[in-house]
C-alpha cells in the first residue's frame, strides 16, 4: 500500500494549484492596481476606468474604496484613465412620507481634468501593472 504524508500531500496540492493558476494567467491580460489620493487623502468612494485612446478597444473599471483599486482582465497597452469620486453634501428624505429614510446627496469631488476632460494616461503591461494616482485640486 502506498502512503503519502500530510505535509507531502499539501505540497503536491499546492504545486498543482499553482500550475493551474499559471495556465489561467496566460491569457495575455493584465491586473492593474494601486491607490488613489486627492490632496493627500485617500479617495474613500469612487470609480476608475481604463479606456483605449482611440475609443475602439475594450474598457475596464472598478470601484475605488478607501484609496485602493484593483482592475482585472485589462487589455495591455496605452489607456486613458477616468477617475470619479463623490463627496456627501447633504441628506434628504427618499420619499415624501413622514417615516421616509434619509439618503445622501452627493456631488463630484474631483476636477473634470480627472474624469470628463481627463488628462490621465497609463501604459498597462501584463501580467500586472501597479500605479498610484496622486490627484491634486490645483
Amino acid at each position: 500500500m502506498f502512503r503519502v504524508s500530510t505535509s507531502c500531500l499539501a505540497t503536491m496540492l499546492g504545486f498543482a494549484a499553482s500550475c493551474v493558476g499559471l495556465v489561467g494567467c496566460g491569457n495575455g491580460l493584465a491586473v492593474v492596481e494601486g491607490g488613489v489620493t486627492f490632496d493627500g487623502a485617500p479617495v474613500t468612494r469612487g470609480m476608475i476606468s481604463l479606456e483605449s485612446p482611440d475609443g475602439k478597444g475594450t474598457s475596464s473599471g472598478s470601484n475605488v474604496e478607501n484609496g485602493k483599486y484593483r482592475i482585472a482582465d485589462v487589455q495591455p497597452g496605452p489607456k486613458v484613465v477616468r477617475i470619479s469620486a463623490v463627496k456627501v453634501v447633504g441628506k434628504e428624505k427618499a420619499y415624501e412620507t413622514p417615516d421616509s429614510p434619509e439618503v445622501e446627496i452627493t456631488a463630484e469631488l474631483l476636477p473634470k481634468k480627472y474624469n470628463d476632460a481627463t488628462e490621465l494616461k497609463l501604459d498597462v503591461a501584463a501580467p500586472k501593472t501597479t500605479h498610484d494616482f496622486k490627484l491634486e485640486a490645483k
Side-chain angles (χ1 to χ4, degrees):
M1 178 183 230
F2 181 71
R3 290 191 176 185
V4 178
S5 72
T6 305
S7 62
C8 183
L9 181 60
T11 301
M12 288 189 299
L13 288 174
F15 178 73
S18 67
C19 289
V20 170
L22 289 174
V23 171
C25 292
N27 61 6
L29 298 177
V31 171
V32 181
E33 63 185 14
V36 181
T37 59
F38 182 62
D39 287 339
V43 171
T44 56
R45 248 176 32 188
M47 293 286 299
I48 183 170
S49 68
L50 306 176
E51 305 166 5
S52 295
D54 62 6
K56 296 180 182 178
T58 59
S59 295
S60 302
S62 82
N63 290 328
V64 175
E65 293 180 11
N66 300 316
K68 301 287 181 197
Y69 72 93
R70 184 176 192 279
I71 309 169
D73 298 331
V74 179
Q75 198 67 251
K79 302 294 177 196
V80 172
V81 181
R82 296 184 193 281
I83 303 174
S84 179
V86 295
K87 62 180 175 181
V88 177
V89 295
K91 290 188 174 192
E92 66 183 359
K93 288 189 170 201
Y95 315 105
E96 293 187 26
T97 60
D99 60 344
S100 173
E102 288 189 332
V103 294
E104 295 177 336
I105 302 170
T106 60
E108 179 61 49
L109 172 68
L110 304 176
K112 291 183 186 231
K113 67 181 180 178
Y114 300 127
N115 43 66
D116 292 340
T118 189
E119 299 171 358
L120 300 173
K121 297 180 183 350
L122 180 65
D123 194 21
V124 174
K128 184 177 177 183
T129 298
T130 302
H131 187 80
D132 293 336
F133 292 94
K134 297 176 181 177
L135 312 177
E136 299 288 331
K138 309 177 215 176

